[in-house]
Amino acid sequence: LDAIACEYSRAMRGIRMTENTMATAAKTANKVPKVTAVEKAVRAIREGIREGAYAPGQRLIEADLTEAVGISRGPLREAMWRLAGEGLVRIEPNRGVVVRKLTRDETRHLYQLREVLEGLAARLAAERVGIGNNRERSQKVAKLGEKCARGNDLTGYIEANEAFHNQIVAMSGNEMLSTLLNQLRVPLFRLQFKRLMSSREAMKDSAVQHDAVVEAILGGQGPQAERAMRRHIAESGQRLAELP
């Protein structure tokens, strides 16, 4: 009886240890990674630049940002160096941190890169149009842009335009393309895009060009989709270059 009791005790200890191990593993699996103060600042300022809250050429005041983001000076300064590495801000002697303002040449070079990369994304998207719900999502974002253009809804069209380009890149299945294009798009700033789409005619032209890209993608026509996208990006870059 003593031997049976010992075996039973050992068995119960083993079960309890297994249960504790499983509980710990479950907690670890469900644990959401904590966002650091530096990452919090980087995300907030990057989004502010993308949305046009911080304009090109604007000086970023440290005291204002620590209060707005809710962090101390140390993490904020580290975040600024991260953003400078991404090309979103400049750290200038005797002036501090300034939101980067693109020159005409920089804008032209950026659009040249976008033309090649987004053209590739469109071709890959056409090759993968039959996967999952790619077809339905493409049709949905195209219709949203058309609706905003017809209603002369500039704010809505900016959102629809971003969704359109993001959807095509997502359909490409190439994560490196997505990373590269996100880095290229942010410096364009919404402020500049608003100037680019300042007229109903400009929105209408952009929507028509989107239709040509979507038509080729839905038809599985990779080369045509690439040409249509490259033409769209090139014309957008030319229109922006002609602005004062």
Side-chain angles (χ1 to χ4, degrees):
L1 290 175
D2 289 342
I4 293 173
C6 288
E7 288 296 331
Y8 176 78
S9 178
R10 280 198 295 269
M12 291 304 296
R13 283 201 300 272
I15 291 172
R16 284 195 294 270
M17 290 175 64
T18 301
E19 289 176 343
N20 290 337
T21 301
M22 292 175 65
T24 301
K27 289 180 180 178
T28 302
N30 294 328
K31 188 177 180 180
V32 178
K34 184 178 180 180
V35 177
T36 65
V38 174
E39 185 61 31
K40 179 183 177 182
V42 168
R43 292 180 183 180
I45 298 169
R46 186 193 290 134
E47 185 66 13
I49 293 173
R50 189 181 72 87
E51 296 288 342
Y54 305 125
Q58 177 181 340
R59 181 172 172 240
L60 298 178
I61 308 300
E62 188 177 83
D64 294 341
L65 289 174
T66 55
E67 182 178 352
V69 181
I71 63 171
S72 60
R73 291 184 176 183
L76 179 63
R77 289 171 181 173
E78 186 177 341
M80 290 303 184
W81 282 108
R82 286 258 307 267
L83 293 165
E86 294 180 13
L88 298 181
V89 302
R90 296 184 191 277
I91 300 177
E92 301 180 353
N94 304 319
R95 196 180 176 203
V97 181
V98 178
V99 179
R100 184 181 176 190
K101 185 176 182 179
L102 297 180
T103 65
R104 285 191 179 277
D105 281 344
E106 287 174 329
T107 302
R108 178 168 54 86
H109 295 160
L110 189 149
Y111 266 93
Q112 287 173 344
L113 289 173
R114 281 193 62 200
E115 181 184 335
V116 174
L117 294 176
E118 295 208 38
L120 172 60
R123 176 166 62 80
L124 294 175
E127 295 171 357
R128 292 166 49 86
V129 69
I131 297 176
N133 63 348
N134 282 343
R135 182 178 298 276
E136 292 76 13
R137 290 175 64 88
S138 297
Q139 292 170 325
K140 182 178 179 180
V141 295
K143 289 178 181 178
L144 177 61
E146 292 172 0
K147 179 181 178 181
C148 293
R150 287 195 304 269
N152 200 26
D153 179 2
L154 174 58
T155 301
Y157 191 80
I158 290 174
E159 298 287 347
N161 178 77
E162 188 171 348
F164 170 82
H165 287 276
N166 286 342
Q167 170 60 20
I168 290 175
V169 175
M171 282 176 63
S172 75
N174 189 316
E175 292 185 5
M176 292 188 70
L177 260 180
S178 178
T179 300
L180 288 171
L181 284 167
N182 282 334
Q183 292 173 348
L184 291 175
R185 286 185 192 142
V186 174
L188 286 176
F189 312 118
R190 288 204 166 191
L191 184 63
Q192 289 184 331
F193 190 80
K194 285 180 181 179
R195 294 176 64 199
L196 181 63
M197 292 289 123
S198 60
S199 71
R200 185 168 186 170
E201 191 64 29
M203 277 193 289
K204 181 180 177 181
D205 289 345
S206 178
V208 169
Q209 291 165 11
H210 283 188
D211 286 342
V213 175
V214 171
E215 183 178 354
I217 288 175
L218 295 179
Q221 301 170 318
Q224 291 90 329
E226 182 171 8
R227 285 195 295 270
M229 178 61 85
R230 293 191 62 156
R231 183 165 54 249
H232 168 55
I233 299 296
E235 291 187 13
S236 296
Q238 181 61 36
R239 186 180 290 114
L240 186 59
E242 293 172 353
L243 292 173

